[in-house]
Amino acid sequence: MTTIRGFQLTAPGQPLAPVRREVAALSADDVLVRVAGCGVCHTDLGFLHDGVRTRHSLPLILGHEISGHVEDAGSRHRALVGKAVVVPAVLPCGECALCRSGHATICAEQVMPGNDRDGGFATHAILPGRFLCPVPGAGPDADAPLGKAAGLRLRHLAVVADAVSTAYQAVERSGLREDELAVVVGLGGVGTFAAQIAAERGAAVVGLDVDARRREAAPKMGVGLALDPREISGKELRGRIAGFAREKGAPATGWTILECSGTPAGQQTAFGLLVHGATLMVVGFTLEAVSLRLSNLMAFDARAFGNWGCAPELYPAILDKVLAGRIDVVSHAELRPLSEIAEALEEVRSHRAQRRIVLVPDREETP
Amino acid sequence: MTTIRGFQLTAPGQPLAPVRREVAALSADDVLVRVAGCGVCHTDLGFLHDGVRTRHSLPLILGHEISGHVEDAGSRHRALVGKAVVVPAVLPCGECALCRSGHATICAEQVMPGNDRDGGFATHAILPGRFLCPVPGAGPDADAPLGKAAGLRLRHLAVVADAVSTAYQAVERSGLREDELAVVVGLGGVGTFAAQIAAERGAAVVGLDVDARRREAAPKMGVGLALDPREISGKELRGRIAGFAREKGAPATGWTILECSGTPAGQQTAFGLLVHGATLMVVGFTLEAVSLRLSNLMAFDARAFGNWGCAPELYPAILDKVLAGRIDVVSHAELRPLSEIAEALEEVRSHRAQRRIVLVPDREETP
């Protein structure tokens, strides 16, 4: 019998506590995943510090950005045993009216690890087998090289489960096309990938971030113009971006603005960049309200889309781009032992983390 | 030579002033429209009282909701002479890259009467001939019966130019389908038609308005549940609407919310009704900012579309529905002599007007 060793949230504001759970028999629909890596997301901090409530009652093991190997499976998913997989952060049921009509991301029966049930800040997780995305070319060793990208391991692919795929669906949904202008607000865990994905589509990309180190790293994300929205704002910011668009031959209308900071200031900056026909993607999350002239959507004939997770059917294409090295995850992820979870969470909370932190269970050190 | 007699805005906050202008030779692209009727819109009040600036410098004859007869035409539009027409409130150029790529409503060369040039609060208006929408079956008499709707005259069709067509494009753009739920916030000049158009598509329609008389009139607009959002708000409002949706067999997700009040309170009510997969149409306009949790778009995987005007290619279908009596404009429009424009504007401003006021030039009384 397998023992799951992980870290659970017992009450908001309290440090995550080590926990051990014995795995009973798996139901027909479930699989047991041995976690290779689990990314740390601001959503986890929302549960921990900001009063965002998990859908499952506490205590709960957090973590929804999981890659790993299927170690065991219920009767419906035996074919997955032994496979290396990325676990989509949102696993819809695939059967309800919403799923069947192309609205899988709002499926009421969806399972999000670390929210609807125990997640990936652990050695193992029991998850629905449906929609797990096998990693082409991956063997049983989580430390073996993968694909064409230097240094890429299965553990890095944890970030595909949410950060990369959320950014990907947001860009996809925005309809961004070659030679258009994309503005990414917040070059953090998700924005890093939004910028790369926009650039990979052939868009001219502007990146806005208050952190000088992120702005310095921005060219590697495909960002052609990186600015500090605290130093340059309002009309001046619009003017600088419009100048960049002209220089790159991108239109003055129809900008795609990807708000990835999940902060009120970032949302106001993003909303303030609406031009005629603009598309604002609300990718980051904050519980705080912001003051906006909503009518600008009308005056500019513009639109704003929220983006929750990523539809499972998009994962194979995303994974292909990552394995081919067209989306770089290695430079934007940092592996850390799971036993250092408290420090890792604090680094993300205090915005000291420069890269997406992926927690790697350590068989000796994990409680 | 024709003399245009109308009312112009000379300075914000000042009463509109009578003006006479002689019509010189028409350019090849222009036509002279003898105004049958011109609707009064909150946009006019925005220019008059709220500091919204017209794109053309003052003085300017306001009014952008025009029906009438083409009395004379430049060389490119001779075929229109004698025709009864509805003048789309937004006339794109039809030739630029935006127009050719299906984004006509954000065409930078667009002409809006009463904003980019003199409008329809006058006996005549000189307008671009492009995209005027001829009225099937209409003869030279503006007072002759039209179509199958009792009492319908060319003058009533003024409201098709903006109020009906803006509502129509908003519903069209929202993707609202049969048996879904639509919530119309504000049953005024535009909301009246939004409700009718949603009902005509087979949706279950909820109407919210603070005015008891409008709520009483709501069943005639196809509204199945009319509520006062000052009396019932927040969770209770959502609950009542969800109950109505269940009763009508409409889904609990994917609501279409049409914000037509153009008030901060209406926008907050509308935003507060977001459910999973909801579509918020921002149809009304206010210069005021509102405080919203923008991230709810993300959490609900929802979207918000602005809606500016209506693409000219939609007008023939709209006109067909109005002429067939499937969209009722007669009950929702009120004809008034143009000479009473000051009183009419004041009635609209003070929310005393129960119906869309259409100003009709009176050959004797107009200055």
Side-chain angles (χ1 to χ4, degrees):
Chain A
M1 187 182 279
T2 304
T3 302
I4 296 177
R5 290 163 293 145
F7 290 89
Q8 69 182 8
L9 178 63
T10 52
Q14 296 299 310
L16 297 185
V19 62
R20 297 173 73 104
R21 292 210 187 119
E22 302 303 320
V23 176
L26 293 170
S27 80
D29 290 325
D30 284 344
V31 301
L32 177 71
V33 172
R34 187 174 72 247
V35 176
C38 183
V40 177
C41 177
H42 276 275
T43 305
D44 299 308
L45 295 167
F47 296 140
L48 191 52
H49 294 295
D50 302 337
V52 181
R53 292 174 65 169
T54 55
R55 289 194 290 243
H56 190 283
S57 58
L58 301 182
L60 187 74
I61 297 176
L62 300 182
H64 56 269
E65 205 172 71
I66 304 168
S67 62
H69 284 92
V70 177
E71 206 167 77
D72 194 8
S75 57
R76 296 228 172 88
H77 298 291
R78 296 301 302 167
L80 282 173
V81 175
K83 291 234 157 74
V85 294
V86 168
V87 181
V90 171
L91 294 158
C93 79
E95 289 164 18
C96 68
L98 288 166
C99 282
R100 281 183 284 116
S101 62
H103 300 95
T105 52
I106 58 167
C107 165
E109 304 301 319
Q110 67 179 248
V111 172
M112 178 174 163
N115 188 1
D116 292 293
R117 56 161 85 181
D118 281 332
F121 294 155
T123 55
H124 300 76
I126 298 171
L127 299 167
R130 63 195 192 222
F131 300 125
L132 301 196
C133 183
V135 179
D141 180 3
D143 294 313
L146 269 182
K148 292 180 184 167
L152 184 66
R153 303 289 181 272
L154 179 61
R155 308 190 186 289
H156 294 109
L157 295 185
V159 302
V160 173
D162 187 13
V164 180
S165 54
T166 292
Y168 189 89
Q169 177 172 286
V171 173
E172 184 85 12
R173 198 174 266 190
S174 76
L176 178 70
R177 291 187 297 189
E178 202 178 341
D179 300 328
E180 292 186 339
L181 185 84
V183 183
V184 179
V185 182
L187 297 171
V190 174
T192 299
F193 299 114
Q196 285 194 60
I197 293 160
E200 206 255 339
R201 290 198 170 208
V205 182
V206 176
L208 305 181
D209 204 294
V210 296
D211 187 324
R213 293 166 302 173
R214 285 180 177 167
R215 293 198 304 277
E216 276 158 32
K220 282 192 290 183
M221 307 169 199
V223 170
L225 175 69
L227 298 171
D228 181 347
R230 286 185 309 195
E231 281 181 6
I232 303 169
S233 62
K235 279 191 181 171
E236 194 190 347
L237 182 62
R238 277 173 85 103
R240 285 287 292 275
I241 295 174
F244 175 76
R246 268 195 306 278
E247 191 185 300
K248 295 289 175 186
T253 57
W255 295 353
T256 297
I257 303 148
L258 297 135
E259 205 308 297
C260 300
S261 77
T263 65
Q267 290 185 339
Q268 272 170 324
T269 296
F271 203 86
L273 289 172
L274 290 179
V275 292
H276 283 99
T279 301
L280 169 64
M281 299 303 304
V282 182
V283 186
F285 181 82
T286 168
L287 278 172
E288 288 182 59
V290 286
S291 178
L292 309 166
R293 193 200 280 172
L294 188 66
S295 303
N296 281 1
L297 288 175
M298 180 268 200
F300 288 122
D301 209 50
R303 52 193 196 159
F305 289 98
N307 187 79
W308 175 257
C310 177
E313 63 265 28
L314 296 177
Y315 278 78
I318 301 168
L319 209 43
D320 280 352
K321 284 181 196 286
V322 172
L323 292 171
R326 293 170 67 190
I327 301 172
D328 170 22
V329 299
V330 177
S331 314
H332 301 283
E334 188 176 338
L335 307 180
R336 292 281 184 86
L338 176 58
S339 52
E340 295 174 17
I341 187 168
E343 297 86 332
L345 288 166
E346 184 48 32
E347 263 182 66
V348 176
R349 195 180 72 83
S350 63
H351 299 282
R352 274 182 289 130
Q354 283 303 300
R355 299 186 284 178
R356 191 82 163 178
I357 295 179
V358 174
L359 296 170
V360 175
D362 180 295
R363 297 202 164 255
E364 286 70 50
E365 296 177 46
T366 304
Chain B
M1 189 184 278
T2 304
T3 302
I4 297 178
R5 288 162 295 147
F7 290 88
Q8 69 182 9
L9 179 62
T10 51
Q14 296 299 310
L16 297 186
V19 61
R20 297 173 74 105
R21 287 202 193 130
E22 303 304 321
V23 177
L26 294 169
S27 81
D29 291 326
D30 283 345
V31 301
L32 177 70
V33 172
R34 188 175 71 248
V35 176
C38 183
V40 176
C41 176
H42 277 275
T43 306
D44 300 308
L45 296 166
F47 295 141
L48 192 53
H49 295 295
D50 302 338
V52 182
R53 293 173 65 170
T54 54
R55 289 194 290 242
H56 190 282
S57 58
L58 299 182
L60 187 74
I61 298 175
L62 300 182
H64 57 270
E65 204 171 74
I66 305 168
S67 62
H69 283 93
V70 177
E71 208 168 72
D72 194 8
S75 57
R76 297 227 173 88
H77 298 292
R78 296 300 303 167
L80 283 173
V81 176
K83 291 232 160 70
V85 294
V86 167
V87 181
V90 172
L91 294 157
C93 78
E95 290 164 17
C96 68
L98 288 166
C99 282
R100 281 182 283 115
S101 63
H103 299 96
T105 53
I106 58 167
C107 165
E109 304 301 320
Q110 67 180 246
V111 172
M112 178 172 163
N115 189 0
D116 292 292
R117 56 161 86 181
D118 281 332
F121 294 156
T123 54
H124 301 76
I126 299 171
L127 299 166
R130 63 197 191 219
F131 300 126
L132 301 197
C133 182
V135 179
D141 180 3
D143 294 313
L146 270 182
K148 293 181 186 168
L152 184 65
R153 303 290 181 272
L154 179 61
R155 307 190 187 289
H156 294 109
L157 295 184
V159 303
V160 173
D162 187 12
V164 180
S165 53
T166 293
Y168 189 90
Q169 177 172 288
V171 173
E172 184 83 13
R173 198 174 267 189
S174 75
L176 178 69
R177 290 188 297 190
E178 202 178 342
D179 300 328
E180 291 186 339
L181 185 83
V183 183
V184 179
V185 182
L187 297 171
V190 174
T192 299
F193 300 113
Q196 285 193 60
I197 293 161
E200 207 255 339
R201 290 199 171 208
V205 182
V206 176
L208 306 181
D209 204 295
V210 295
D211 186 324
R213 292 167 303 172
R214 286 180 177 167
R215 293 197 304 278
E216 276 157 34
K220 283 193 291 182
M221 308 170 199
V223 170
L225 175 69
L227 298 171
D228 181 348
R230 285 184 310 195
E231 282 180 6
I232 303 167
S233 61
K235 279 191 181 171
E236 194 189 347
L237 182 62
R238 277 173 85 103
R240 285 287 292 275
I241 295 174
F244 174 77
R246 268 195 306 278
E247 193 184 299
K248 296 288 174 184
T253 57
W255 294 355
T256 296
I257 302 148
L258 296 134
E259 204 309 295
C260 300
S261 78
T263 65
Q267 290 185 340
Q268 272 170 327
T269 296
F271 203 87
L273 289 173
L274 289 179
V275 292
H276 283 99
T279 300
L280 169 64
M281 299 303 305
V282 181
V283 186
F285 180 81
T286 169
L287 279 171
E288 288 181 58
V290 286
S291 178
L292 308 165
R293 194 201 280 173
L294 188 66
S295 303
N296 281 3
L297 287 176
M298 179 266 200
F300 288 122
D301 210 48
R303 53 195 193 155
F305 289 98
N307 186 78
W308 174 257
C310 176
E313 63 264 28
L314 296 177
Y315 278 78
I318 301 167
L319 208 43
D320 280 352
K321 284 181 196 286
V322 172
L323 291 170
R326 294 169 68 191
I327 301 172
D328 171 21
V329 298
V330 178
S331 315
H332 301 284
E334 188 176 338
L335 306 180
R336 291 281 184 87
L338 175 58
S339 52
E340 294 174 17
I341 187 168
E343 297 86 334
L345 288 165
E346 184 49 34
E347 264 182 64
V348 176
R349 195 181 72 84
S350 63
H351 299 282
R352 276 181 289 130
Q354 283 304 299
R355 299 184 285 177
R356 191 81 163 180
I357 295 179
V358 174
L359 296 171
V360 176
D362 178 294
R363 301 211 156 248
E364 285 72 47
E365 295 176 48
T366 304

PDB file of all heavy atoms in Angstrom, chain B residues 84-101:
ATOM      1  N   ALA B  84     -37.248  56.572 -49.516  1.00  0.00           N
ATOM      2  CA  ALA B  84     -37.362  56.686 -48.061  1.00  0.00           C
ATOM      3  C   ALA B  84     -36.253  55.836 -47.447  1.00  0.00           C
ATOM      4  O   ALA B  84     -36.047  54.689 -47.864  1.00  0.00           O
ATOM      5  CB  ALA B  84     -38.727  56.190 -47.600  1.00  0.00           C
ATOM      6  N   VAL B  85     -35.556  56.382 -46.465  1.00  0.00           N
ATOM      7  CA  VAL B  85     -34.395  55.674 -45.902  1.00  0.00           C
ATOM      8  C   VAL B  85     -34.340  55.785 -44.375  1.00  0.00           C
ATOM      9  O   VAL B  85     -34.871  56.720 -43.785  1.00  0.00           O
ATOM     10  CB  VAL B  85     -33.055  56.234 -46.459  1.00  0.00           C
ATOM     11  CG1 VAL B  85     -32.918  55.966 -47.955  1.00  0.00           C
ATOM     12  CG2 VAL B  85     -32.910  57.723 -46.148  1.00  0.00           C
ATOM     13  N   VAL B  86     -33.672  54.793 -43.802  1.00  0.00           N
ATOM     14  CA  VAL B  86     -33.207  54.904 -42.422  1.00  0.00           C
ATOM     15  C   VAL B  86     -31.705  55.166 -42.514  1.00  0.00           C
ATOM     16  O   VAL B  86     -31.009  54.523 -43.315  1.00  0.00           O
ATOM     17  CB  VAL B  86     -33.492  53.601 -41.640  1.00  0.00           C
ATOM     18  CG1 VAL B  86     -32.728  53.596 -40.314  1.00  0.00           C
ATOM     19  CG2 VAL B  86     -34.981  53.447 -41.399  1.00  0.00           C
ATOM     20  N   VAL B  87     -31.208  56.098 -41.715  1.00  0.00           N
ATOM     21  CA  VAL B  87     -29.789  56.458 -41.753  1.00  0.00           C
ATOM     22  C   VAL B  87     -29.077  55.785 -40.582  1.00  0.00           C
ATOM     23  O   VAL B  87     -29.285  56.176 -39.425  1.00  0.00           O
ATOM     24  CB  VAL B  87     -29.616  57.995 -41.630  1.00  0.00           C
ATOM     25  CG1 VAL B  87     -28.135  58.366 -41.695  1.00  0.00           C
ATOM     26  CG2 VAL B  87     -30.417  58.723 -42.697  1.00  0.00           C
ATOM     27  N   PRO B  88     -28.261  54.762 -40.823  1.00  0.00           N
ATOM     28  CA  PRO B  88     -27.540  54.147 -39.704  1.00  0.00           C
ATOM     29  C   PRO B  88     -26.793  55.210 -38.897  1.00  0.00           C
ATOM     30  O   PRO B  88     -26.190  56.115 -39.477  1.00  0.00           O
ATOM     31  CB  PRO B  88     -26.574  53.177 -40.398  1.00  0.00           C
ATOM     32  CG  PRO B  88     -27.282  52.799 -41.664  1.00  0.00           C
ATOM     33  CD  PRO B  88     -27.969  54.070 -42.098  1.00  0.00           C
ATOM     34  N   ALA B  89     -26.852  55.107 -37.590  1.00  0.00           N
ATOM     35  CA  ALA B  89     -26.247  56.126 -36.722  1.00  0.00           C
ATOM     36  C   ALA B  89     -24.733  56.177 -36.886  1.00  0.00           C
ATOM     37  O   ALA B  89     -24.117  57.202 -36.634  1.00  0.00           O
ATOM     38  CB  ALA B  89     -26.607  55.858 -35.267  1.00  0.00           C
ATOM     39  N   VAL B  90     -24.152  55.078 -37.300  1.00  0.00           N
ATOM     40  CA  VAL B  90     -22.709  55.037 -37.561  1.00  0.00           C
ATOM     41  C   VAL B  90     -22.521  54.605 -39.008  1.00  0.00           C
ATOM     42  O   VAL B  90     -22.907  53.490 -39.384  1.00  0.00           O
ATOM     43  CB  VAL B  90     -21.996  54.053 -36.605  1.00  0.00           C
ATOM     44  CG1 VAL B  90     -20.546  53.876 -37.024  1.00  0.00           C
ATOM     45  CG2 VAL B  90     -22.079  54.549 -35.169  1.00  0.00           C
ATOM     46  N   LEU B  91     -21.958  55.491 -39.816  1.00  0.00           N
ATOM     47  CA  LEU B  91     -21.750  55.222 -41.237  1.00  0.00           C
ATOM     48  C   LEU B  91     -20.257  55.040 -41.500  1.00  0.00           C
ATOM     49  O   LEU B  91     -19.511  56.011 -41.610  1.00  0.00           O
ATOM     50  CB  LEU B  91     -22.295  56.396 -42.060  1.00  0.00           C
ATOM     51  CG  LEU B  91     -23.816  56.590 -41.997  1.00  0.00           C
ATOM     52  CD1 LEU B  91     -24.201  58.020 -42.348  1.00  0.00           C
ATOM     53  CD2 LEU B  91     -24.516  55.596 -42.912  1.00  0.00           C
ATOM     54  N   PRO B  92     -19.793  53.790 -41.563  1.00  0.00           N
ATOM     55  CA  PRO B  92     -18.368  53.545 -41.800  1.00  0.00           C
ATOM     56  C   PRO B  92     -17.998  53.892 -43.251  1.00  0.00           C
ATOM     57  O   PRO B  92     -18.882  54.118 -44.074  1.00  0.00           O
ATOM     58  CB  PRO B  92     -18.223  52.054 -41.543  1.00  0.00           C
ATOM     59  CG  PRO B  92     -19.581  51.490 -41.724  1.00  0.00           C
ATOM     60  CD  PRO B  92     -20.585  52.571 -41.495  1.00  0.00           C
ATOM     61  N   CYS B  93     -16.702  53.908 -43.543  1.00  0.00           N
ATOM     62  CA  CYS B  93     -16.287  54.284 -44.900  1.00  0.00           C
ATOM     63  C   CYS B  93     -16.467  53.133 -45.879  1.00  0.00           C
ATOM     64  O   CYS B  93     -16.636  53.341 -47.065  1.00  0.00           O
ATOM     65  CB  CYS B  93     -14.840  54.783 -44.908  1.00  0.00           C
ATOM     66  SG  CYS B  93     -13.600  53.467 -44.845  1.00  0.00           S
ATOM     67  N   GLY B  94     -16.401  51.904 -45.350  1.00  0.00           N
ATOM     68  CA  GLY B  94     -16.603  50.746 -46.218  1.00  0.00           C
ATOM     69  C   GLY B  94     -15.387  50.341 -47.022  1.00  0.00           C
ATOM     70  O   GLY B  94     -15.410  49.335 -47.734  1.00  0.00           O
ATOM     71  N   GLU B  95     -14.303  51.084 -46.890  1.00  0.00           N
ATOM     72  CA  GLU B  95     -13.150  50.841 -47.771  1.00  0.00           C
ATOM     73  C   GLU B  95     -11.840  50.574 -47.049  1.00  0.00           C
ATOM     74  O   GLU B  95     -10.923  49.995 -47.620  1.00  0.00           O
ATOM     75  CB  GLU B  95     -12.954  52.050 -48.696  1.00  0.00           C
ATOM     76  CG  GLU B  95     -14.057  52.162 -49.742  1.00  0.00           C
ATOM     77  CD  GLU B  95     -14.093  53.531 -50.398  1.00  0.00           C
ATOM     78  OE1 GLU B  95     -13.095  54.278 -50.290  1.00  0.00           O
ATOM     79  OE2 GLU B  95     -15.131  53.853 -51.016  1.00  0.00           O
ATOM     80  N   CYS B  96     -11.739  51.006 -45.798  1.00  0.00           N
ATOM     81  CA  CYS B  96     -10.455  50.877 -45.093  1.00  0.00           C
ATOM     82  C   CYS B  96     -10.222  49.420 -44.672  1.00  0.00           C
ATOM     83  O   CYS B  96     -11.099  48.563 -44.798  1.00  0.00           O
ATOM     84  CB  CYS B  96     -10.422  51.787 -43.866  1.00  0.00           C
ATOM     85  SG  CYS B  96     -11.562  51.279 -42.566  1.00  0.00           S
ATOM     86  N   ALA B  97      -9.031  49.173 -44.149  1.00  0.00           N
ATOM     87  CA  ALA B  97      -8.673  47.811 -43.737  1.00  0.00           C
ATOM     88  C   ALA B  97      -9.621  47.301 -42.655  1.00  0.00           C
ATOM     89  O   ALA B  97     -10.002  46.119 -42.661  1.00  0.00           O
ATOM     90  CB  ALA B  97      -7.230  47.788 -43.227  1.00  0.00           C
ATOM     91  N   LEU B  98     -10.031  48.166 -41.737  1.00  0.00           N
ATOM     92  CA  LEU B  98     -10.944  47.738 -40.675  1.00  0.00           C
ATOM     93  C   LEU B  98     -12.294  47.353 -41.258  1.00  0.00           C
ATOM     94  O   LEU B  98     -12.865  46.322 -40.902  1.00  0.00           O
ATOM     95  CB  LEU B  98     -11.108  48.848 -39.628  1.00  0.00           C
ATOM     96  CG  LEU B  98      -9.884  49.081 -38.733  1.00  0.00           C
ATOM     97  CD1 LEU B  98      -9.999  50.397 -37.985  1.00  0.00           C
ATOM     98  CD2 LEU B  98      -9.704  47.920 -37.755  1.00  0.00           C
ATOM     99  N   CYS B  99     -12.834  48.186 -42.153  1.00  0.00           N
ATOM    100  CA  CYS B  99     -14.123  47.861 -42.777  1.00  0.00           C
ATOM    101  C   CYS B  99     -14.034  46.539 -43.537  1.00  0.00           C
ATOM    102  O   CYS B  99     -14.936  45.700 -43.459  1.00  0.00           O
ATOM    103  CB  CYS B  99     -14.545  48.975 -43.735  1.00  0.00           C
ATOM    104  SG  CYS B  99     -15.238  50.419 -42.891  1.00  0.00           S
ATOM    105  N   ARG B 100     -12.926  46.361 -44.243  1.00  0.00           N
ATOM    106  CA  ARG B 100     -12.809  45.162 -45.073  1.00  0.00           C
ATOM    107  C   ARG B 100     -12.570  43.906 -44.242  1.00  0.00           C
ATOM    108  O   ARG B 100     -12.756  42.795 -44.718  1.00  0.00           O
ATOM    109  CB  ARG B 100     -11.711  45.357 -46.134  1.00  0.00           C
ATOM    110  CG  ARG B 100     -12.225  46.214 -47.318  1.00  0.00           C
ATOM    111  CD  ARG B 100     -11.194  46.387 -48.421  1.00  0.00           C
ATOM    112  NE  ARG B 100     -10.176  47.362 -48.059  1.00  0.00           N
ATOM    113  CZ  ARG B 100      -8.891  47.103 -47.882  1.00  0.00           C
ATOM    114  NH1 ARG B 100      -8.435  45.879 -48.033  1.00  0.00           N
ATOM    115  NH2 ARG B 100      -8.045  48.055 -47.543  1.00  0.00           N
ATOM    116  N   SER B 101     -12.168  44.090 -42.981  1.00  0.00           N
ATOM    117  CA  SER B 101     -11.944  42.906 -42.136  1.00  0.00           C
ATOM    118  C   SER B 101     -13.074  42.710 -41.125  1.00  0.00           C
ATOM    119  O   SER B 101     -12.887  42.054 -40.101  1.00  0.00           O
ATOM    120  CB  SER B 101     -10.589  43.033 -41.427  1.00  0.00           C
ATOM    121  OG  SER B 101     -10.590  44.156 -40.557  1.00  0.00           O
TER     122      SER B 101
END
